Amino acid sequence: MRQTVTRSQTDLFRIMVTNVAAISFFNFSPLILGALIDERSFTYQQVGWLAGIFMLGLASVNTIWGIAQPRLPRHIVARSGAALASLCFVLAIPVHNFSIFAIVLAGAGIGCGLCFGLTITSLGEDAMPESKFGFMQALQTLTAALGLFILPWSTGLPIGIAGSGLLLCAALMTAALASAGALTSNSSSLEPVNTKALTPRPTWPFWVACAILLLNVAAEASVWSFLERIALARDITTQMASQILAASFFAAGLGSLAGGFVGTKYGRTAPFLLAVGASILAVFMFWQASGLINYIIAVMLFAGAWNFGACYRMGLAIAADETGARAPLIPAAQTIGAAIGPALGGSLIINDNFSDLFLMAIGLWLVTIALFYMVHARLKS
């Protein structure tokens, strides 16, 4: 069995706060990326690459950490990452040159990655990781909803929506400097599990579970990053789209809470298939339906399905990791997917035609279903 850690509710909350700050740029990205197009004349391809560059920064540090498994104090590493990210977000505010912006944003991604990966690893050590992941994502959605509601009102400021979004991300990472103290020695001093005492289990289920995370997040992020642009193509204003996206986080929060409360009472298969099916339905609505009401329904369905299914996908990877030593590779897989998705998606959009983007997302989700059954069958046996 994998080793578990019992933490106080206060420490669990502080870890979740650190996680929320670390993923804030991604959650605010529909408005920030759209504003970069309008305010700084970046192209669809460029903002797609920016989203990818940020997430690759997250992925790189988590991949290195998962492979090297350094015995460093988690709270010190996380606080160093929070300071780096906060500084980089502030430095990016006045930058209008794409290359310089990309370099600074990569630094922010590395800093956020240190916080994000360590929080996922710590919550994964809990005896009921699906539940903790669900509540963590509920807190993410509440913060994102507030941010997306506030940011459109910064249109008249000299720094615009993009600069205001970056400033908000910097403020959240500054808060993470304090909350990251919960990542203390009660987790970082754990001794590795004695693998010789365990029944040998092949490692391929874990790697396939990571592939499920990567492909699923790639599909979700490819659509998420351009929801504001999808709205504009349907004659929905940026202000209205931002309010809808903000409201969608309440739907996402309900999905997270549902996952948190339900846990694995009904297994993983039914929740997984329900989430994937709802995601595909939402994309079909973006693709085929028009009008404000259909857009609202599709966004709510998309957000709720994303967060409901996420805790089960992460839980599957945790279950497939016998020793817990590979846990940092779980957020690495997620962030690689979040880097690849927008970059590929942005390259497929031509003249506000999102058809190829939608086809790519649906195809990726269908592949995850096949991979899920491979892993689930092996774990049951």
Side-chain angles (χ1 to χ4, degrees):
M1 295 180 62
R2 65 184 180 88
Q3 195 168 12
T4 60
V5 177
T6 300
R7 291 185 172 86
S8 69
Q9 294 299 313
T10 300
D11 281 349
L12 286 171
F13 178 76
R14 293 172 65 195
I15 291 171
M16 292 177 188
V17 168
T18 306
N19 177 275
V20 167
I23 203 65
S24 60
F25 177 84
F26 177 75
N27 285 337
F28 300 151
S29 63
L31 286 187
I32 294 177
L33 297 181
L36 289 174
I37 294 174
D38 294 333
E39 298 170 359
R40 308 191 186 187
S41 300
F42 290 175
T43 66
Y44 276 110
Q45 288 73 24
Q46 285 177 326
V47 298
W49 279 110
L50 286 176
I53 287 168
F54 175 81
M55 298 310 292
L56 280 175
L58 271 100
S60 62
V61 292
N62 286 298
T63 302
I64 294 170
W65 191 281
I67 294 173
Q69 298 180 24
R71 306 294 292 174
L72 300 174
R74 292 184 183 178
H75 64 293
I76 294 177
V77 174
R79 281 175 164 163
S80 300
L84 172 63
S86 182
L87 174 62
C88 288
F89 281 132
V90 171
L91 291 176
I93 291 174
V95 177
H96 283 67
N97 179 275
F98 172 76
S99 298
I100 298 175
F101 194 98
I103 293 171
V104 177
L105 195 62
I110 291 171
C112 289
L114 291 171
C115 295
F116 185 74
L118 291 175
T119 55
I120 295 294
T121 300
S122 298
L123 294 176
E125 293 167 345
D126 193 84
M128 298 175 62
E130 283 91 351
S131 177
K132 299 304 182 293
F133 290 146
F135 293 128
M136 172 198 74
Q137 290 184 309
L139 187 59
Q140 283 183 10
T141 58
L142 175 60
T143 305
L146 293 173
L148 290 175
F149 180 77
I150 293 170
L151 285 177
W153 300 101
S154 62
T155 304
L157 296 178
I159 59 175
I161 293 177
S164 298
L166 293 168
L167 185 61
L168 180 56
C169 291
L172 289 170
M173 290 310 297
T174 301
L177 282 169
S179 60
L183 297 162
T184 49
S185 59
N186 72 327
S187 57
S188 60
S189 63
L190 285 176
E191 295 298 322
V193 175
N194 181 11
T195 55
K196 294 182 180 179
L198 298 172
T199 302
R201 178 186 291 174
T203 59
W204 70 260
F206 173 77
W207 297 112
V208 176
C210 285
I212 293 171
L213 283 166
L214 189 155
L215 295 175
N216 187 85
V217 174
E220 292 168 333
S222 67
V223 177
W224 169 253
S225 295
F226 298 101
L227 283 182
E228 187 254 0
R229 296 286 114 176
I230 293 170
L232 291 180
R234 284 152 179 74
D235 297 322
I236 300 171
T237 66
T238 296
Q239 288 73 20
M240 177 61 71
S242 68
Q243 292 177 23
I244 295 169
L245 292 176
S248 76
F249 278 95
F250 293 104
L254 291 176
S256 299
L257 289 174
F261 284 116
V262 172
T264 54
K265 293 178 183 177
Y266 305 102
R268 292 192 182 96
T269 303
F272 180 90
L273 294 178
L274 178 62
V276 172
S279 297
I280 292 175
L281 176 59
V283 166
F284 266 116
M285 293 183 69
F286 287 132
W287 191 359
Q288 301 295 335
S290 60
L292 177 61
I293 300 301
N294 285 323
Y295 179 82
I296 292 173
I297 295 172
V299 169
M300 300 302 165
L301 184 62
F302 180 79
W306 183 339
N307 278 33
F308 177 71
C311 53
Y312 294 98
R313 291 185 290 269
M314 288 190 285
L316 180 72
I318 290 290
D321 182 18
E322 187 176 33
T323 66
R326 303 184 189 93
L329 295 174
I330 294 173
Q334 291 176 294
T335 50
I336 290 172
I340 293 173
L344 289 177
S347 66
L348 293 174
I349 302 170
I350 300 174
N351 297 326
D352 290 332
N353 186 333
F354 301 93
S355 298
D356 290 342
L357 168 66
F358 297 147
L359 279 173
M360 181 191 78
I362 292 171
L364 292 176
W365 277 315
L366 293 176
V367 172
T368 66
I369 294 176
L371 296 179
F372 173 84
Y373 275 105
M374 289 174 56
V375 177
H376 190 62
R378 178 63 192 183
L379 294 182
K380 286 182 66 176
S381 66

